[in-house]
Amino acid sequence: MQSRGVEVWRSREQAAEEKPFEIEKIMNLRRVFLFIFSFIFFAFALSGCGREKGVRLTFWQFWPSDVIEPIITEFERANPGIKVEMQQLTWQNGFEKIVAAVSSGTQPDLCELGSTWVPRFAADGVLGEVTSEVGALRDSLLFWESCTLDGKIYGIPWVAGTRALFYNKELFQEAGLDPDSPPSTWEELIECARRIHSPRNGVYGYGMNAGERYVLFKKFMPFAWGNGGRILNQDLRRSEFASGENLDALLFYCSLKKYSLVEKQDVLDMTFKQGKVGLEISGGWNLKTIPADAPDLKFGVAVVPKPKACCGVHASFAGSEILVTFAKSKRHKDALKLARFLVEKQNMIALCRSAKSVQPTFRGVENDPYYDSNPLERTFVVQLSTAIAPPPHPRWPEIEEVIESTVEEVVYGVKKPEEALLEADRKISSIVSNAER
């Protein structure tokens, strides 16, 4: 039997032996804790470093996700340090949203702008100048004039849209016209419209636009440009709208009314799909919607007729989408990297192939195998080669409004063509003069 004193001694001895063990145990626990703490700290540190080294680009654009996201995914795969955050704008309020963002300093790194908006933003000094950074692209892309102001370049042309002549082959046959021979001149156009026109049977020869902002000038000016007419002179400082060439074009445009359904664009497109309009000038979006909405419709696409077989040009409206950076962008270099990727030929074709409504700005793209196998889309590319962009004037929206109200007044007989053109010329001259002050 052990005495109590022995027990006490043993306890002390045991304690003396166990104490180093506990100390060692505590030390080991501290080492483990320090290891775990260090691991977590370095993990967070590494994660933080990753965020600092990575780039998040904001890109505002107008395309639906199924059109643009596959291309952006390819860009991110090729540039693992860059993440693109996209926002889709609408043409109804996109301009106002961009203006508000610029005013509040929340503009994106890269933005798609309609070509008629670029001069105004450039004149206001909010766009980043890229003249010295796009030299290698100058020879491969079209429509640089749409993003150039006073000799300085403020963006990169991406894709472009134009208008072409759609015609109903069945109505051509019923009218005794060759469905494989669309009209090539003004005289042939009005003759086709006349022979097809039968409002008693709900069939109209031509689809004429009126009463719609941003649309009417795109339907009238192709005839004026094709006849050699202009809106402003070469240096954009003088109106040339009241010219004889523009007067002839306006008289011809109004002469189509007799054989036309006069309506807004969406109504004309719908009526064309219903087989009730023989001819209309419209956009490439129909190449996507007609097969879906009217798969049995037999139709063709041709370039816009020119004044005469011997003279004039198959002109049309050209509107391009411009990729711009902003003067205060903190990620200008990476934004341009994304822009250069988007304007690569295969990426432009991929977007146009999906959207149908636009064509690449890449020179010579009509010879690409894709367009050889898609002749209707190729017609739009060919039309683009003779299409004309509106003058890149900072006050263009006001000039456009004058042109549209003038044409509409003449179409509805409110004013005589000569009188209306002279008045429009005075208004445009005033707009241009005020812009100089």
Side-chain angles (χ1 to χ4, degrees):
M1 182 176 177
Q2 292 178 322
S3 69
R4 181 175 178 78
V6 173
E7 289 178 355
V8 171
W9 181 85
R10 288 194 60 185
S11 297
R12 287 177 180 173
E13 284 293 309
Q14 188 176 11
E17 289 177 357
E18 289 175 351
K19 190 172 184 179
F21 175 74
E22 288 180 356
I23 291 174
E24 183 65 25
K25 186 177 179 181
I26 291 171
M27 291 298 291
N28 286 338
L29 287 172
R30 290 181 63 184
R31 291 190 187 100
V32 170
F33 175 76
L34 286 172
F35 175 77
I36 294 173
F37 177 81
S38 299
F39 177 82
I40 294 173
F41 174 81
F42 281 111
F44 271 104
L46 288 172
S47 176
C49 288
R51 282 198 298 272
E52 289 176 0
K53 289 181 178 178
V55 174
R56 288 186 178 274
L57 277 179
T58 51
F59 176 34
W60 289 8
Q61 52 81 43
F62 292 83
W63 300 103
S65 58
D66 62 315
V67 172
I68 188 67
E69 276 190 0
I71 302 171
I72 295 301
T73 299
E74 284 299 315
F75 173 77
E76 291 177 334
R77 187 175 294 129
N79 298 272
I82 301 178
K83 179 70 177 175
V84 180
E85 295 179 348
M86 280 195 298
Q87 185 169 142
Q88 184 184 354
L89 304 174
T90 68
W91 291 109
Q92 286 73 33
N93 62 14
F95 181 83
E96 288 75 14
K97 185 176 177 64
I98 295 168
V99 170
V102 170
S103 300
S104 62
T106 56
Q107 65 275 2
D109 298 306
L110 186 68
C111 188
E112 175 187 1
L113 288 185
S115 55
T116 56
W117 297 351
V118 174
R120 176 173 171 180
F121 282 109
D124 289 343
V126 299
L127 299 184
E129 185 196 338
V130 296
T131 309
S132 62
E133 300 169 273
V134 298
L137 296 171
R138 295 293 298 276
D139 292 336
S140 58
L141 304 179
L142 300 165
F143 297 110
W144 288 101
E145 66 277 11
S146 297
C147 49
T148 301
L149 187 68
D150 297 331
K152 298 178 181 178
I153 301 173
Y154 292 93
I156 302 176
W158 187 14
V159 291
T162 187
R163 305 293 180 269
L165 184 71
F166 284 76
Y167 64 100
N168 184 312
K169 292 189 173 184
E170 288 187 341
L171 292 180
F172 262 54
Q173 280 185 314
E174 292 172 9
L177 299 165
D178 183 353
D180 295 321
S181 182
S184 180
T185 65
W186 291 3
E187 183 180 2
E188 292 174 3
L189 174 61
I190 202 164
E191 176 62 12
C192 291
R194 185 189 69 78
R195 291 174 64 170
I196 292 171
H197 194 61
S198 180
R200 183 182 305 173
N201 297 316
V203 175
Y204 303 88
Y206 186 77
M208 174 182 276
N209 290 84
E212 190 171 13
R213 187 83 194 277
Y214 306 126
V215 176
L216 182 52
F217 94 95
K218 298 171 185 173
K219 305 304 176 69
F220 163 68
M221 283 310 299
F223 296 112
W225 284 320
N227 197 38
R230 300 168 62 98
I231 300 170
L232 301 178
N233 70 334
Q234 191 68 32
D235 64 9
L236 310 182
R237 293 182 175 177
R238 191 179 72 247
S239 173
E240 294 187 349
F241 196 60
S243 66
E245 291 83 0
N246 286 349
L247 177 60
D248 289 343
L250 185 55
L251 291 170
F252 171 73
Y253 188 75
C254 291
S255 70
L256 286 167
K257 185 184 177 186
K258 186 176 180 181
Y259 311 112
S260 294
L261 171 67
V262 183
E263 264 295 354
K264 294 183 179 180
Q265 187 64 57
D266 57 345
V267 176
L268 293 177
D269 286 342
M270 180 186 67
T271 312
F272 183 82
K273 292 174 192 174
Q274 293 171 344
K276 297 178 180 178
V277 167
L279 306 110
E280 69 159 344
I281 293 177
S282 192
W285 57 82
N286 279 328
L287 299 182
K288 191 167 188 174
T289 60
I290 290 177
D293 300 339
D296 297 328
L297 184 71
K298 293 180 174 55
F299 71 100
V301 181
V303 293
V304 175
K306 62 181 184 178
K308 295 180 180 178
C310 63
C311 55
V313 180
H314 294 289
S316 187
F317 159 80
S320 51
E321 311 301 322
I322 309 296
L323 295 169
V324 303
T325 64
F326 293 89
K328 293 184 179 179
S329 174
K330 297 178 181 177
R331 291 170 283 271
H332 175 81
K333 183 178 178 182
D334 290 308
L336 275 188
K337 179 182 285 187
L338 174 57
R340 289 194 183 92
F341 182 84
L342 292 171
V343 301
E344 289 179 9
K345 182 181 176 182
Q346 69 274 13
N347 294 328
M348 276 200 256
I349 292 177
L351 187 147
C352 298
R353 185 175 183 169
S354 177
K356 304 289 187 191
S357 58
V358 290
Q359 294 74 44
T361 58
F362 209 91
R363 291 181 189 275
V365 74
E366 65 272 17
N367 299 319
D368 187 89
Y370 172 73
Y371 289 102
D372 285 341
S373 57
N374 292 274
L376 296 182
E377 290 183 55
R378 188 175 188 277
T379 299
F380 274 88
V381 178
V382 172
Q383 177 68 84
L384 205 54
S385 66
T386 53
I388 297 175
H393 195 281
R395 304 284 293 272
W396 168 253
E398 297 166 65
I399 297 171
E400 177 182 337
E401 189 172 357
V402 170
I403 295 172
E404 294 192 328
S405 62
T406 298
V407 174
E408 192 167 46
E409 287 173 340
V410 176
V411 167
Y412 285 113
V414 177
K415 291 181 180 176
K416 294 181 179 179
E418 297 86 346
E419 170 196 356
L421 281 186
L422 286 172
E423 184 177 333
D425 194 76
R426 286 193 291 271
K427 289 179 179 177
I428 294 173
S429 294
S430 176
I431 293 169
V432 174
S433 298
N434 289 335
E436 294 286 317
R437 296 172 185 168

